[in-house]
Amino acid sequence: MLSEAMTALAAAGGTAVVQAAGTDAWTGVRQQVARWFSRGNPQREHAELERLDQTAGELEAAPPTEVERVRIRQEAAWQGRIEALLESLEDIERARVADELRTLLAQQTSHRSVSAGQSGLAVGGDLNVRADHGSAAAVSMGNVTLGNPSQPGPHQD
């Protein structure tokens, strides 16, 4: 059985795989994760690349109403795969492999950039949306609630 720290690391790995899918970072993350899982075995690396591509394909093909469910399922699946690999190793090897995974995750975090899917809007920082002089503005952001703006005062006409 894995320690809490190893389980948390596996969860972070599963989340990282799913978050990277469909982004500009995917190619690099995909290759690094496959190499990490393969432990130097070319056939296994190829199989891992196929699994990663399947994950990205399922996330991309999911209808909007199912994306969150598919994302959660994929994160859990990758967490389970990472846990299984870590559990299969002796303590010394497990510690080394876990350090490799931590490094991989740290690299992904440090290179993370803002990106959006097709028809999406990505903002790296603050977003200010205004509607002036009879115009309208709308932003769809999932489970976000925006209040009605106050009526303009005489100085804003």
Side-chain angles (χ1 to χ4, degrees):
M1 185 164 189
L2 292 177
S3 68
E4 282 186 38
M6 290 291 176
T7 301
L9 178 61
T15 299
V17 167
V18 172
Q19 285 180 346
T23 69
D24 293 341
W26 178 240
T27 301
V29 170
R30 174 184 172 269
Q31 193 65 45
Q32 288 178 317
V33 169
R35 195 174 303 123
W36 181 82
F37 265 106
S38 73
R39 316 299 326 136
N41 179 325
Q43 289 87 7
R44 186 163 179 199
E45 184 172 340
H46 180 72
E48 295 302 335
L49 289 168
E50 288 180 358
R51 282 186 185 98
L52 289 157
D53 289 342
Q54 183 179 2
T55 292
E58 286 185 28
L59 289 163
E60 186 177 320
T65 58
E66 296 292 312
V67 169
E68 185 65 12
R69 185 183 62 77
V70 171
R71 184 189 62 73
I72 290 168
R73 191 180 80 239
Q74 288 296 329
E75 285 179 3
W78 283 101
Q79 176 181 348
R81 291 185 46 68
I82 294 167
E83 286 176 357
L85 175 62
L86 293 172
E87 286 176 340
S88 73
L89 303 172
E90 296 296 325
D91 290 344
I92 293 171
E93 179 75 0
R94 181 182 303 135
R96 186 179 63 74
V97 170
D99 284 342
E100 290 173 5
L101 180 57
R102 282 185 197 94
T103 300
L104 188 155
L105 295 174
Q107 288 172 347
Q108 180 189 357
T109 302
S110 68
H111 297 330
R112 189 174 290 163
S113 62
V114 176
S115 65
Q118 189 175 23
S119 302
L121 170 69
V123 177
D126 295 337
L127 174 65
N128 183 5
V129 178
R130 291 181 46 152
D132 288 332
H133 306 291
S135 64
V139 176
S140 175
M141 298 185 287
N143 295 327
V144 176
T145 303
L146 302 174
N148 290 327
S150 59
Q151 292 296 319
H155 65 284
Q156 293 177 321
D157 287 330

